[in-house]
Amino acid sequence: MAQRGRRRRVGTAAAGTLDFAVLLQPVDVMRYDFVPLPDVARWGVLVPTADGALAGKSVLTVNDLKHMPLVIHHREGLQREFGLWAGVDMDEFDGSATYNVLNGGPSPFVTSGLGCVVTTDDHLDGGESADVRFLPLDPPLKTRCALVYRRHVALSKSASIFLKQVKRSLQSMHESSGKE
C-alpha cells in the first residue's frame, strides 16, 4: 500500500540509482560503457489514421516528414542519426516536442494533435490506439539497443555477475549463429 505524502522516484542510470539501462544506440561513450544487443529496431513515425494525406502511404520519406509536426527523442546522438539519415539539418523539420521515455505509450501525443511521434517499432507494444498507425521510414533507418552502465563506477558483486552472464550469453549466441 502506498504511503500518503511519499512520491515514488524513478531511478536512472545517469543518476546512479540503476546499475543498468537499455538504450538505443548511439550511446554517450563519455558517460557509459555498454554491451551491444543483437536485436535491430526499425525507425518510423506514429501518425493519425484520420490524416487523409497519409491514407495511401505504407512508408514515409524525408519530404513527407518536412510537412508534419514531429515529436522526436531528445538525445542529441539519436537526433544526429536521424539528421544523417535525412541528409538535412534538423532545423528543416517542425520539431513540436521531444521525449525521453514514452511511458504509457505514444498514442496520446498523436491523438491530441501535438505531433507525429518518431520512434522505433520495438517501442510500440501493440496497445496503441486505433486512431494511430506506425509508418516505417524509407529508406529504412535501423538501430540497435545496448545494455549500458556508468563508466568508472565499481559495480556491485551481483551487477558484475549479471554483466558477465550477459556477455557470456551474447558470445554464445554469436558463436552458435556463426556455425549455422
Side-chain angles (χ1 to χ4, degrees):
M1 177 184 279
Q3 296 178 355
R4 287 185 181 218
R6 298 187 101 185
R7 290 177 39 196
R8 182 174 168 251
R9 288 188 55 191
V10 177
T12 66
T17 56
L18 294 177
D19 290 321
F20 301 97
V22 175
L23 299 178
L24 293 171
Q25 291 189 50
V27 172
D28 179 354
V29 295
M30 298 302 288
R31 292 176 69 176
Y32 301 111
D33 282 324
F34 70 98
V35 177
L37 299 174
D39 293 342
V40 176
R42 176 180 62 172
W43 283 92
V45 183
L46 203 59
V47 300
T49 55
D51 187 330
L54 300 174
K57 297 215 175 257
S58 59
V59 295
L60 291 174
T61 66
V62 173
N63 286 334
D64 295 324
L65 300 178
K66 288 181 183 179
H67 305 291
M68 59 178 64
L70 299 176
V71 178
I72 191 163
H73 203 287
H74 86 282
R75 281 185 29 220
E76 287 180 23
L78 294 174
Q79 289 184 16
R80 188 172 29 258
E81 290 291 313
F82 184 73
L84 288 170
W85 166 83
V88 298
D89 190 83
M90 288 299 293
D91 293 338
E92 293 193 35
F93 296 107
D94 176 10
S96 63
T98 62
Y99 66 88
N100 181 22
V101 177
L102 294 170
N103 287 334
S107 294
F109 286 108
V110 180
T111 57
S112 70
L114 181 60
C116 299
V117 179
V118 178
T119 188
T120 57
D121 55 359
D122 65 341
H123 278 109
L124 305 176
D125 64 7
E128 290 75 38
S129 160
D131 298 327
V132 299
R133 67 183 179 131
F134 179 81
L135 293 175
L137 299 178
D138 186 43
L141 175 61
K142 296 181 180 182
T143 191
R144 292 186 185 273
C145 291
L147 179 70
V148 301
Y149 50 100
R150 291 187 311 150
R151 275 185 166 273
H152 313 298
V153 173
L155 293 173
S156 68
K157 183 176 180 178
S158 58
S160 294
I161 292 169
F162 173 76
L163 182 60
K164 285 178 188 172
Q165 183 58 45
V166 167
K167 288 179 177 179
R168 197 173 312 140
S169 295
L170 291 171
Q171 180 64 33
S172 176
M173 286 173 48
H174 178 72
E175 289 171 358
S176 68
S177 69
K179 292 178 183 176
E180 294 180 38

